[in-house]
Amino acid sequence: MYMQELEPVAGSLGLSALVAALPLVIVLVLLGGVRMKAHLAGLTGLLAAALVAWLAYGMPLDQTVSSAAQGAVFGLFPILWIVVNALWVYRMTVRTRHFDILRRSFGRLSDDPRIQALVVAFCFGALLEALAGFGAPVAICSVMLVALGFEPVRAAVVALVANTAPVAFGAMGTPVVTLAQVTGLPLEDVASVVGRQTPLLALVVPLVLVGLVDGRRGLRETWVPAVVCGIAFAVAQFAASNYISAQLADIGAALAGAAALVAVPQARRPAAEPVRASVLTGARSEELDEDDARADVVRAYAPYALIVAVFSVAQIPAVKDWLAKATQTYDWPFLNVVDADGNAVGGNVFTWPIVSTGGTLVLLAGVATAAVIGVHARVAVKEWLATVHELRFAILTVTSVLALAYVMNLSGQAATIGHFVAAAGAGLAFLSPVLGWFGVAVSGSDTSANALFGALQVTAARESGLSPELLAAANSSGGVLGKMISPQNLTIACAAVGLAGREGDLLRKVLPWSVALLLVMCLIVVGQSSPVLDWMLP
């Protein structure tokens, strides 16, 4: 048995916290300062965490290795299992050119570039974030906006800023699923609180987008569609995350936002020529003028409809209970850890939801998609393997970061840092979103930031008397605002629109929005931690 100790270094909480923070500091410096590739930085940080656990905390080497292995397995399943299958569905639509049909369909909804920014970057980007995440929405939406005639820099900035509100529930809820796993909090509780924070961003982001596209004139002329879209998105995200399923939160929000836009008369009016001339300074793709048969358009939308249908059926109580019967629970080998009070920690047991997990449901929807859009079984398998190959470095990054997080959590390093950070007292509520923001800005992933800092936030919350669910959720909600300034996302955006080497230009344009929206989120969390807004919490 290994018992966690909070002050293993010279009996000092401060010195112990300094040593415990070394793996995180190493990862952040390698990523942000040295610009090392993420998977190499993750592996280096993992090695550092293992050495600190073994040498400073006295965790037996076999238990240290076992805790890292459990983190890596969790990174593979369910996290990467979701991402691989979601991107596989997207790759099949690209191969059959149904994605091009979908892009043309969006272009016909409105010729007003300000509305197109809302449809493509905000609504469709949220749908892509829901299904895949990990940079896919920024890359795809940037290309689509350029094809619609947007100047490349403007297209990239709009796509980056739009990729905020849906991030916490992206990739079928992967960030909040990870947050619940590493903190030991129920997924429903964590998702519920996040669903009472990020929808508030959704009310603001559409207005920011039309302002980015067309300045004050854009706000003056299209504020009604922007507000309606934001409200519909926010209400749907709140409702799904609190009462239906965290995995469906972004899908429902994206569809609700798009439907609201279509329903607003102002969104369908032709844009004035001066507006188009001043905004669409790029070259519009002639491919957008091609006509598509109605049956092809229906098939282009089918993959997303199938995913919604499969997940909706899986939420029916009888079906949900039936799927849950396949869940397997194992005593994890070579791992026997208790906390400083002698209570067994959750890492001693591993739960494997074989069928009910989001990745398996996406896989089922993907099989149905292949049949509907006419992808031969051999080709579908080939595309799945190609997806794994494409994500090979992302797979290594996620597994190494989750392994690092598990070593830090089970050895007691995260608990030590949490107790030390708790000294911030009431100020912790303000700083909590900042920590998540910083983690995502460096790692490029809300999932990674939640894995790194989730347990720390919960420990600090309990020590300072704040709600653990609130600070855990704040880590994820603050993190979404760091997405637009992360080096990975900036690089993806530049590569997508042909601006290689101009990441600095994009950073200067999006940084003020990232910081301003972060300040708003910090004030929201402070309010929710006090009588001012505590009525918002479940």
Side-chain angles (χ1 to χ4, degrees):
M1 179 184 293
Y2 167 70
M3 177 175 285
Q4 296 176 344
E5 189 177 350
L6 296 178
E7 303 174 356
V9 181
S12 168
L13 182 62
L15 288 175
S16 299
L18 188 63
V19 172
L22 279 176
L24 295 177
V25 172
I26 288 171
V27 172
L28 298 179
V29 169
L30 291 179
L31 281 173
V34 181
R35 299 292 179 89
M36 180 180 285
K37 292 185 182 298
H39 63 282
L40 295 177
L43 290 171
T44 305
L46 170 59
L47 177 61
L51 290 174
V52 170
W54 180 35
L55 299 176
Y57 279 75
M59 189 178 197
L61 187 58
D62 60 340
Q63 299 212 43
T64 301
V65 174
S66 182
S67 60
Q70 185 179 150
V73 169
F74 179 72
L76 290 171
F77 192 99
I79 294 178
L80 288 164
W81 182 235
I82 297 172
V83 177
V84 167
N85 290 325
L87 282 178
W88 171 57
V89 173
Y90 164 69
R91 284 180 64 98
M92 286 193 294
T93 65
V94 172
R95 184 183 182 94
T96 58
R97 304 195 67 81
H98 282 91
F99 184 77
D100 294 332
I101 296 172
L102 189 69
R103 181 175 62 182
R104 288 194 288 271
S105 176
F106 287 159
R108 296 188 191 101
L109 289 177
S110 173
D111 71 343
D112 189 325
R114 299 162 298 189
I115 303 301
Q116 290 174 342
L118 294 178
V119 172
V120 174
F122 189 66
C123 296
F124 186 61
L127 186 60
L128 291 173
E129 183 68 38
L131 301 178
F134 292 88
V138 170
I140 295 168
C141 292
S142 297
V143 171
M144 291 179 72
L145 290 174
V146 170
L148 290 169
F150 280 67
E151 187 267 332
V153 171
R154 198 193 310 253
V157 169
V158 167
L160 285 165
V161 174
N163 190 221
T164 49
V167 168
F169 296 104
M172 294 298 174
T174 296
V176 291
V177 169
T178 303
L179 186 60
Q181 180 73 16
V182 300
T183 59
L185 299 173
L187 173 60
E188 294 77 10
D189 294 350
V190 173
S192 178
V193 179
V194 174
R196 295 162 192 250
Q197 294 172 343
T198 55
L200 299 177
L201 294 176
L203 299 175
V204 179
V205 171
L207 291 169
V208 174
L209 294 180
V210 297
L212 286 171
V213 173
D214 196 27
R216 293 183 179 179
R217 179 177 60 185
L219 283 169
R220 186 174 63 252
E221 296 180 0
T222 57
W223 69 269
V224 172
V227 168
V228 170
C229 178
I231 291 175
F233 187 103
V235 170
Q237 191 181 59
F238 162 75
S241 60
N242 277 266
Y243 305 112
I244 303 175
S245 166
Q247 286 89 345
L248 289 175
D250 279 349
I251 293 177
L255 296 176
L261 270 178
V262 173
V264 176
Q266 290 96 320
R268 299 194 302 274
R269 292 173 186 166
E273 193 54 41
V275 172
R276 293 182 56 79
S278 63
V279 175
L280 299 180
T281 54
R284 183 176 180 275
S285 174
E286 295 181 0
E287 178 192 324
L288 295 172
D289 298 322
E290 295 181 17
D291 291 326
D292 296 304
R294 183 179 296 275
D296 289 335
V297 174
V298 171
R299 279 194 290 270
Y301 282 90
Y304 310 102
L306 286 168
I307 290 174
V308 173
V310 169
F311 272 82
S312 298
V313 170
Q315 298 308 311
I316 298 173
V319 177
K320 191 173 185 178
D321 292 340
W322 180 70
L323 294 175
K325 291 180 181 178
T327 298
Q328 302 291 320
T329 301
Y330 303 96
D331 289 328
W332 192 259
F334 308 110
L335 199 60
N336 185 11
V337 180
V338 296
D339 61 22
D341 297 322
N343 301 313
V345 301
N348 296 334
V349 176
F350 184 77
T351 302
W352 187 19
I354 303 172
V355 181
S356 60
T357 189
T360 302
L361 297 178
V362 175
L363 178 66
L364 294 174
V367 172
T369 294
V372 170
I373 65 177
V375 178
H376 191 277
R378 183 179 65 257
V379 176
V381 172
K382 182 179 178 181
E383 286 296 329
W384 192 90
L385 294 174
T387 303
V388 174
H389 182 264
E390 179 185 337
L391 291 173
R392 61 193 183 281
F393 293 119
I395 291 172
L396 192 54
T397 299
V398 172
T399 52
S400 63
V401 168
L402 264 296
L404 180 156
Y406 268 60
V407 170
M408 290 191 65
N409 294 344
L410 294 176
S411 66
Q413 295 173 59
T416 297
I417 300 172
H419 280 73
F420 182 75
V421 171
L428 186 60
F430 185 88
L431 294 175
S432 185
V434 178
L435 189 60
W437 174 82
F438 182 70
V440 176
V442 172
S443 69
S445 166
D446 200 37
T447 298
S448 296
N450 286 343
L452 290 172
F453 300 131
L456 185 156
Q457 297 266 21
V458 168
T459 303
R462 287 173 175 153
E463 288 300 305
S464 59
L466 295 172
S467 164
E469 292 81 6
L470 175 61
L471 293 202
N475 191 84
S476 192
S477 298
V480 306
L481 300 169
K483 190 91 168 177
M484 69 179 83
I485 62 170
S486 69
Q488 293 92 319
N489 253 23
L490 291 170
T491 301
I492 288 170
C494 285
V497 297
L499 296 174
R502 294 185 59 183
E503 288 85 356
D505 294 341
L506 289 187
L507 178 61
R508 285 190 289 273
K509 289 182 179 294
V510 299
L511 181 60
W513 293 110
S514 178
V515 173
L517 292 172
L518 174 64
L519 178 59
V520 172
M521 182 54 66
C522 290
L523 295 176
I524 290 171
V525 175
V526 169
Q528 291 177 333
S529 70
S530 71
V532 178
L533 294 179
D534 64 357
W535 53 269
M536 292 180 63
L537 299 179

